[in-house]
Amino acid sequence: MGDVDERPVGIDELLERVRAGYERMAPRAAYEAAQGGEALLVDIRYAALRERDGLIPGALVVERNELEWRLDPQGSHRAPEATSHGLRVVVICNEGYASSLAAESLRRLGLHRATDLVGGFQAWRAEGLPVTPGVGAEA
């Protein structure tokens, strides 16, 4: 795992290290990639946020604690969309922090094109990209 003498890494440094390993996507670029069939958007926000703020049309909703099992193309519990390790997955959380760690986890599983959305769902919505009301949300 690591040498005993290694110093602990704080979350800010860990995020910086993780993000240095891949190119993150801006909301408009992610939207265009998804519309062109070049990327799978995966929303890992918890249910209360989806209900409150809405959903991204066409995004696969996967709870964070199920992400690796649902997106591993070799996994017995994979989602039908998890077709290959070459799949371009764009992980979306609320503000773009947890999604970076999730994308790194997918990359460790061999999904070498996994990335995340800069600014998360909040940046998507601020960009004026499509959002539908969440279940239980008032229209």
Side-chain angles (χ1 to χ4, degrees):
M1 284 273 172
D3 293 339
V4 177
D5 294 334
E6 281 186 22
R7 70 173 177 76
V9 176
I11 189 62
D12 293 330
E13 185 177 340
L14 178 61
L15 275 174
E16 188 176 310
R17 287 183 187 183
V18 163
R19 290 172 174 170
Y22 64 90
E23 187 175 331
R24 301 176 77 208
M25 291 191 84
R28 177 84 39 203
Y31 172 74
E32 291 170 0
Q35 290 298 302
E38 300 166 12
L40 173 65
L41 304 179
V42 179
D43 186 345
I44 63 168
R45 293 175 301 142
Y46 54 89
L49 288 177
R50 295 191 311 267
E51 290 170 10
R52 183 190 77 190
D53 294 339
L55 301 166
I56 294 172
L60 176 65
V61 174
V62 178
E63 295 287 336
R64 173 62 191 98
N65 63 331
E66 298 177 357
L67 183 68
E68 291 81 0
W69 283 268
R70 304 289 288 146
L71 282 237
D72 179 2
Q74 298 175 336
S76 59
H77 299 297
R78 74 179 179 275
E81 295 87 347
T83 55
S84 81
H85 285 95
L87 182 65
R88 177 82 167 173
V89 175
V90 181
V91 183
I92 303 167
C93 68
N94 194 48
E95 295 183 342
Y97 295 98
S99 58
S100 295
L101 300 176
E104 169 66 11
S105 182
L106 292 177
R107 293 173 75 82
R108 288 183 178 202
L109 278 177
L111 289 139
H112 61 276
R113 298 180 68 211
T115 186
D116 75 315
L117 189 70
V118 175
F121 178 85
Q122 297 305 324
W124 177 280
R125 185 169 62 180
E127 187 79 16
L129 295 168
V131 173
T132 59
V135 176
E138 295 187 26

